[in-house]
Amino acid sequence: GENITGKQAAEWGLVNEAVPLNTLQERVTDIATVLLGKNPVAVKATKDAIRRVMEMTYDNAEDFLVNAQEAANSFDNEGRKEGIRQFIDDKSYKPGLGAYKRP
């Protein structure tokens, strides 16, 4: 019930990061730039999944996420092909360690 500072929230693991007000706009822009470089279908699917599974049981959430992944794989065929090409051909993409480079 007590108020805490942003610094305390970061120390306690309640937030990812705390920045001074005078650098907030720059940091938000940096994060937005990173997000803009990611596959928009994957970003939307991730946001949708997080919103939907919050109220589900573990088993229901797992079923939902498997089905959502299968749907996303068939929907964003060009993004999928490009990611696979960069992984297999260029060796420039490593799944789980960042996004593939959008053409």
Side-chain angles (χ1 to χ4, degrees):
E2 296 177 12
N3 289 334
I4 62 171
T5 66
K7 185 175 181 180
Q8 286 173 310
E11 289 169 357
W12 296 354
L14 299 175
V15 297
N16 294 331
E17 182 178 0
V19 297
L21 182 58
N22 64 330
T23 63
L24 179 61
Q25 182 65 44
E26 180 182 353
R27 184 65 183 129
V28 169
T29 300
D30 290 345
I31 292 170
T33 300
V34 170
L35 290 173
L36 286 171
K38 298 191 180 298
N39 181 319
V41 174
V43 172
K44 181 180 183 336
T46 301
K47 288 171 62 176
D48 289 347
I50 290 168
R51 287 185 187 119
R52 291 172 186 253
V53 302
M54 288 175 63
E55 303 297 324
M56 293 182 187
T57 66
Y58 179 86
D59 290 337
N60 288 347
E62 184 178 36
D63 289 343
F64 173 82
L65 293 173
V66 167
N67 290 328
Q69 180 65 49
E70 289 172 357
N73 287 344
S74 63
F75 177 73
D76 184 32
N77 202 26
E78 292 308 310
R80 183 174 167 79
K81 285 181 188 176
E82 181 60 21
I84 290 171
R85 186 192 71 72
Q86 289 178 23
F87 175 67
I88 293 173
D89 298 338
D90 298 349
K91 309 287 190 254
S92 62
Y93 170 56
K94 296 183 180 6
L97 299 178
Y100 68 90
K101 292 180 180 61
R102 293 178 58 204

